[in-house]
Every structure is written in structure tokens, then in C-alpha cells.
Amino acid sequence: IVEEFFSFQAEGRNSGMAAYFIRLFGCNVECGFCDEKKTWKEKDKVKKEKVKDIIEKIKEVKAKNLVITGGEPTLYNLIPLTNELKKNNINSFLETSGVNTILGDFTFITLSPKKKLLPKEENIKKANELKVVIENEDDFLFAESFLDKINKDCFLYLQPEWNKREKTTQIVISYIKKHPCWRLSLQMNKYINEK
Ligand code: SF4
């Protein structure tokens, strides 16, 4: 674990829900626009933690949801963690680019595919939501390329890339007006200066 904290889910379908977060170390995608580079660059921040201690921390703050993010959390076998979460009635929300085999039984999977390394087909089908970061107009085509591969209940989100947000927010809004199957996902935490 590189970082853990209690906050709220700020993106996508579960936006606004209080949640405990763990950020796991490492990512085998390494995107240029990554806003959590520390999760794959700063190994000195890593600490090992037992599953039972994570559960205790979640219970201490009375959180009902755990967001498991990174980095790329599927670099790890998350079966022991998700099993314990289930036993304790805590929801597990996975955030992944889908490039590795997903090991764990999750309540909700957010698939955020990246052009640099495409997700495994089997993971596209497992996604409860597809969330595509939009940096430029070409990314809409990339987002659309998943529509015939997702499951029929999958929620569809487009998220403006934060560093170019003045431009990207506008192009995403215009696109959604013309293609209403998509919804806007904003990184709310950044607008209100929360973690
Ligand atoms: Fe960062 Fe996610 Fe890209 Fe990994 S896949 S480099 S965590 S944005």
C-alpha cells in the first residue's frame, strides 16, 4: 500500500459515496497523464499491511465501501482481501485499466482502459462501468471501440483529462449531448481540494 485514507468516491457511478481508499503500488501501463505517478515511482512509500488490519481500519471509521485503486491494483491477488470484505459486509470497488488478470470477487469494477496497453477482453466483460479519460477528440473513437464488448448493464462515463480541463470538459459535454448513452464524470475531489 502506498497510501490509504477515508474520503468519498469522486468519480463515476459511485460518486458522492463515503469510502475508504487503498492505493496499491505499481503500474504496468505508465501513462503520461497519470495523476498518481507516486504509486508506481515512489517505492519508499510502500508499506505492507495485513488484510485483517485493513478491515479493522475500515470498521474504525464505519466505512461501508473500500475503493481499491493504484497504480494498477490487479498486479496483486486480491482474493483474500475481497473475501474478508464480503464477510464483513463491506463493498469492494476496484479501479483498473484491465491489463492483468483480475483476482478477487468485487462488488463493482470500474474499467478505465488506456490506449498505451489495451485491457484483456475478459475484463471488458466484467466491468460495471467503463470510464474513459478524454484528452482529445481521438479518444472518443477509442471509447466507442468498447461498446460492442461490454456487458449490457455497464455504465458509460467520459472523464475530461484534468490538466487540460478547460478544453476537455467542453469537448466531453458537446460529445455527450450528441451521444447520450455516455455520462460525464468529473473528478469532484479536485474541484473541492479533497483527497
Ligand atoms: Fe496511472 Fe492508471 Fe495509467 Fe497506471 S493505468 S499509469 S495508474 S493512469
Side-chain angles (χ1 to χ4, degrees):
I1 293 177
V2 175
E3 188 179 33
E4 61 187 308
F5 53 91
F6 183 37
S7 184
F8 72 103
Q9 176 58 295
E11 304 174 6
R13 179 70 183 168
N14 297 320
S15 282
M17 294 173 83
Y20 199 81
F21 283 70
I22 54 171
R23 286 194 194 287
L24 303 186
F25 179 75
C27 182
N28 47 335
V29 186
E30 303 192 357
C31 309
F33 62 72
C34 181
D35 53 6
E36 290 297 342
K37 288 196 171 92
K38 67 173 180 292
T39 61
W40 41 276
K41 286 198 161 170
E42 298 178 24
K43 203 166 185 182
D44 54 310
K45 290 202 162 68
V46 175
K47 55 176 182 169
K48 284 191 179 173
E49 218 170 301
K50 291 197 165 91
V51 165
K52 73 173 178 50
D53 294 335
I54 299 171
I55 302 281
E56 273 317 303
K57 287 182 182 175
I58 299 169
K59 283 175 149 180
E60 235 170 71
V61 295
K62 299 189 170 54
K64 297 275 176 246
N65 309 300
L66 174 68
V67 177
I68 304 160
T69 186
E72 179 44 69
T74 58
L75 287 171
Y76 303 90
N77 175 3
L78 298 166
I79 294 171
L81 175 61
T82 54
N83 285 351
E84 278 309 302
L85 290 167
K86 216 168 198 177
K87 275 190 213 156
N88 286 277
N89 292 319
I90 299 162
N91 294 319
S92 50
F93 298 161
L94 176 71
E95 299 190 331
T96 179
S97 62
V99 297
N100 306 309
T101 300
I102 295 176
L103 295 172
D105 181 9
F106 298 92
T107 315
F108 193 90
I109 297 178
T110 300
L111 179 78
S112 187
K114 305 295 181 315
K115 280 181 178 165
K116 204 175 163 201
L117 195 57
L118 295 177
K120 285 176 177 273
E121 294 281 321
E122 73 207 37
N123 294 340
I124 301 172
K125 289 200 171 43
K126 286 181 186 168
N128 298 99
E129 74 178 355
L130 175 70
K131 186 177 69 188
V132 183
V133 176
I134 302 295
E135 266 193 299
N136 54 51
E137 301 273 356
D138 292 345
D139 294 333
F140 294 122
L141 272 182
F142 178 63
E144 296 283 341
S145 72
F146 293 95
L147 294 190
D148 57 353
K149 297 177 187 153
I150 50 171
N151 76 67
K152 65 176 175 42
D153 300 319
C154 186
F155 296 100
L156 303 174
Y157 282 92
L158 298 175
Q159 185 166 292
E161 199 278 317
W162 175 255
N163 293 315
K164 300 175 189 162
R165 62 191 171 280
E166 279 175 24
K167 179 181 164 225
T168 54
T169 305
Q170 285 317 311
I171 64 170
V172 168
I173 290 171
S174 314
Y175 192 84
I176 288 172
K177 285 180 179 168
K178 291 184 201 127
H179 304 85
C181 65
W182 293 96
R183 299 179 187 185
L184 173 67
S185 171
L186 292 177
Q187 293 175 292
M188 284 199 292
N189 57 324
K190 293 187 177 173
Y191 283 97
I192 60 172
N193 268 334
E194 277 286 323
K195 251 189 185 286

